[in-house]
Amino acid sequence: MTANTTSSSSKDRIVIFDTTLRDGEQCPGASMTFEEKIEVAELLEDMGVDVIEAGFPIASQGDFEAVHEIAKRAGDNVTIAGLARAISGDIIRAGEAVRVAKRSRIHTFVSTSPIHLAHQMRKTEEQVLDIITATVTQARNLVEDVEWSAMDATRTPIEYLVRTVDAAIKAGATTINLPDTVGYAVPEEYAAMFREVIERVPNSDKAIFSTHCHNDLGLAVANSLAGIAGGARQIECTINGLGERAGNAALEEIVMAIRTRRDVMPYDTNIDASMLTRASKLVSNVSAFPVQYNKAIVGRNAFAHESGIHQDGMLKNAETYEIMTPESVGVKATSLVMGKHSGRHAFREKLKDLGFEIGDNALEDAFKRFKDLADRKKHVYDEDIEALIGDGMAVAAEAIRLLSLTVIAGTGGAAKAIISLDVEGAHVTKEVTGNGPVDAIFNAVKAIVPHEATLSLYQVHAVTEGTDAQAEVSVRLEEDGKSVTGKGADPDTMVASAKAYLSSLNKLMVKRQRQHAQAVNA
Ligand code: KIV
Ligand code: ZN
């Protein structure tokens, strides 16, 4: 049996397994489009993630296609994993999705705790042992690299856990994941569990052990690091800690904790930490899950010093109150863009600086929108440019476009929206009232483009400070169990709201067309 293909021979190298696109995307409301998943996967790969769990291929045709495409595009240094329950059909589908990758992994799991066996699986311990042997063997016949997870490991009696791990390794598992599925463990016991399992399983050296921690008690990162102390060498985590319920262990926290406290955790990861902020922003954008202001590493306030004593110390020597520099995680000092007199060349350089490489046509389009913004807004900051580019990406694929909008609202009665849209080339105008200006706008759009989708999220975020700040609005629509999130940015919150609603509708139309095409081709 070969050892895990992603592992480093060094005992100090921690494999970073990112599950933003699987466990993260499982988080209610965080679903991403096909294109968004590809974009996130590319950034994770560039950042140096070792294993990307790209999705759950059996869950839907869309999931399968996204995992397959990510696997097809992946380079030599990243492993693409697909999740599979302990069911033959799942394993076959996961294998089909990931096998096109240069390095592919099937990640299969089964519950092991008494409560799951009794109520969810309705199986005996012996039956589950047989399932482990059969499913890991099946996966191993499809790919070299197989991860097996003992779901709810932390509530599984150690005697039985040892037997399950032994069976999985004997059947060919190359990574053994012991998840804290319900976020119940505390660090000491999580470390002890790894120590004991590794010590008692005869062939434990044939596999890499992995942590997978949920954050129900706010202990996901602490538990993951304790797992490393107990002998694990892979950590499963997500950008921004996105994930089921209270989320998973946050990748950026794990990476920076290891890097900053190398004195007590002498390990390395392959992550380029200077890309953490970009990854956080991208995932927050595509999932429409805002990052809390005081979130460690990537929160807006993570490097802000407000109190006089702290500011004084910082001015004298940054190390007085800063244990890592903002630059080390990719935070750039907010800088003023040159404003309405800036030329194309300076604008292109600024985009490059912010990590956007766009073609000539897209640049021309973005430049026009930048000039328009600079005419309306006194100071244009990096954050404004980022929002403007994000807004423009949505525009590229739009069938419905906003032409003009007038809103009348105030204390004098119902709000009124007069909106003109370009709907696949036809110009349509409607005047509609509503319970407030946003309601009036959304009603007006619905009057022009009738649909049954329900609004499940409306969120406004000021891109920078000041009353002339651009508003970035997220709108999530749900239809037939599928959800899409659209975004719009503009100094006028109502215009941003209309753009976000239209962006969401456009995405929904693309989704419908794709489903229709699949049904026809089936
Ligand atoms: O939390 C969990 O146990 C999981 C498994 C599928 C690994 O996500
Ligand atoms: Zn999980």
Side-chain angles (χ1 to χ4, degrees):
M1 188 193 305
T2 53
N4 185 327
T5 50
T6 55
S7 71
S8 144
S9 56
S10 160
K11 281 196 155 41
D12 304 333
R13 169 79 154 76
I14 305 299
V15 174
I16 296 292
F17 175 116
D18 179 280
T19 182
T20 306
L21 295 171
R22 198 279 296 170
D23 217 332
E25 217 240 354
Q26 231 162 284
C27 161
S31 71
M32 301 170 202
T33 64
F34 178 85
E35 291 76 16
E36 288 166 345
K37 288 181 186 176
I38 307 291
E39 201 182 341
V40 170
E42 281 175 353
L43 186 68
L44 293 174
E45 183 177 348
D46 287 352
M47 196 167 72
V49 163
D50 301 291
V51 187
I52 297 174
E53 185 162 53
F56 191 6
I58 195 83
S60 70
Q61 180 65 18
D63 265 55
F64 176 86
E65 282 172 11
V67 178
H68 191 259
E69 187 61 29
I70 290 168
K72 215 163 79 187
R73 292 178 185 222
D76 294 336
N77 298 324
V78 64
T79 298
I80 305 301
L83 186 70
R85 289 167 298 182
I87 296 175
S88 176
D90 279 36
I91 292 169
I92 292 170
R93 200 75 175 134
E96 281 169 7
V98 298
R99 248 188 338 220
V100 286
K102 300 194 180 60
R103 303 170 79 148
S104 52
R105 174 181 295 187
I106 295 177
H107 174 195
T108 184
F109 69 98
V110 71
S111 290
T112 52
S113 66
I115 187 160
H116 281 216
L117 260 57
H119 301 287
Q120 203 182 2
M121 310 264 306
R122 293 172 203 263
K123 298 260 187 264
T124 64
E125 289 188 346
E126 298 310 311
Q127 284 171 323
V128 169
L129 285 169
D130 289 343
I131 290 173
I132 295 167
T133 302
T135 51
V136 173
T137 304
Q138 185 195 356
R140 212 24 230 271
N141 286 333
L142 297 174
V143 292
E144 282 279 293
D145 182 346
V146 173
E147 172 168 334
W148 177 75
S149 288
M151 194 181 219
D152 208 13
T154 50
R155 294 192 299 170
T156 302
I158 200 83
E159 295 295 330
Y160 183 58
L161 191 59
V162 165
R163 291 180 67 203
T164 61
V165 171
D166 185 38
I169 294 179
K170 278 193 181 128
T174 44
T175 297
I176 298 291
N177 181 32
L178 302 180
D180 185 25
T181 304
V182 291
Y184 178 73
V186 297
E188 292 74 15
E189 72 190 2
Y190 200 53
M193 178 187 74
F194 279 98
R195 263 187 217 108
E196 191 163 350
V197 172
I198 291 171
E199 205 179 288
R200 289 179 55 183
V201 170
N203 283 332
S204 60
D205 61 323
K206 297 272 189 302
I208 298 253
F209 280 75
S210 174
T211 69
H212 178 110
C213 298
H214 281 270
N215 206 29
D216 300 67
L217 294 173
L219 292 171
V221 170
N223 282 337
S224 305
L225 296 174
I228 296 301
R233 285 295 176 269
Q234 173 179 285
I235 296 183
E236 303 196 356
C237 45
T238 60
I239 302 290
N240 296 338
L242 199 68
E244 290 265 24
R245 307 183 307 278
N248 289 56
L251 181 148
E252 59 279 4
E253 294 178 24
I254 301 273
V255 168
M256 289 314 287
I258 291 176
R259 208 176 131 145
T260 309
R261 294 306 312 273
R262 221 173 176 275
D263 55 331
V264 286
M265 292 181 282
Y267 315 116
D268 274 323
T269 72
N270 189 42
I271 302 296
D272 173 357
S274 71
M275 293 181 71
L276 290 172
T277 299
R278 245 176 83 197
S280 165
K281 283 188 181 170
L282 175 65
V283 169
S284 169
N285 257 317
V286 298
S287 64
F289 259 65
V291 175
Q292 84 191 48
Y293 284 0
N294 60 342
K295 161 90 176 59
I297 318 296
V298 290
R300 180 185 275 202
N301 289 356
F303 295 95
H305 298 271
E306 187 73 22
S307 90
I309 298 175
H310 284 212
Q311 286 181 349
D312 179 57
M314 286 292 293
L315 288 173
K316 289 175 176 148
N317 180 339
E319 281 181 29
T320 50
Y321 289 97
E322 217 164 59
I323 57 167
M324 53 200 155
T325 64
E327 294 76 29
S328 66
V329 299
V331 176
K332 297 197 179 85
T334 296
S335 63
L336 205 59
V337 172
M338 288 67 74
K340 62 178 173 185
H341 300 298
S342 320
R344 267 182 197 74
H345 180 69
F347 184 67
R348 188 194 283 272
E349 287 306 303
K350 172 53 77 181
L351 290 184
K352 255 197 214 153
D353 215 36
L354 294 173
F356 297 109
E357 300 271 356
I358 59 177
D360 287 346
N361 290 347
L363 177 83
E364 201 48 40
D365 182 52
F367 185 64
K368 272 197 207 111
R369 283 181 294 113
F370 159 67
K371 284 286 189 188
D372 176 46
L373 183 66
D375 271 342
R376 297 157 68 203
K377 192 172 184 290
K378 202 162 147 208
H379 301 303
V380 179
Y381 296 93
D382 289 353
E383 291 87 340
D384 288 313
I385 301 285
E386 283 168 351
L388 182 134
I389 296 293
D391 200 34
M393 280 173 179
V395 170
E398 278 177 353
I400 315 165
R401 286 165 178 268
L402 178 67
L403 295 174
S404 68
L405 173 70
T406 305
V407 182
I408 301 160
T411 53
K416 190 197 290 177
I418 305 150
I419 196 164
S420 292
L421 302 181
D422 177 325
V423 185
E424 290 171 329
H427 291 193
V428 193
T429 302
K430 287 268 179 206
E431 186 177 317
V432 176
T433 57
N435 191 12
V438 177
D439 192 44
I441 294 167
F442 289 8
N443 288 344
V445 172
K446 205 166 174 178
I448 297 176
V449 189
H451 60 86
E452 293 303 319
T454 51
L455 177 74
S456 61
L457 174 97
Y458 170 75
Q459 183 177 283
V460 186
H461 155 76
V463 171
T464 56
E465 284 162 13
T467 51
D468 71 341
Q470 278 201 95
E472 192 172 54
V473 176
S474 305
V475 164
R476 185 173 302 137
L477 292 176
E478 291 192 1
E479 188 184 68
D480 298 333
K482 301 259 172 268
S483 73
V484 288
T485 306
K487 282 182 166 279
D490 198 275
D492 183 322
T493 310
M494 293 308 114
V495 174
S497 301
K499 283 183 177 177
Y501 194 63
L502 293 177
S503 153
S504 205
L505 261 186
N506 278 312
K507 283 187 178 179
L508 205 58
M509 285 170 65
V510 171
K511 206 161 207 162
R512 275 192 212 141
Q513 278 161 6
R514 200 172 277 148
Q515 274 169 350
H516 179 68
Q518 275 163 11
V520 169
N521 293 331

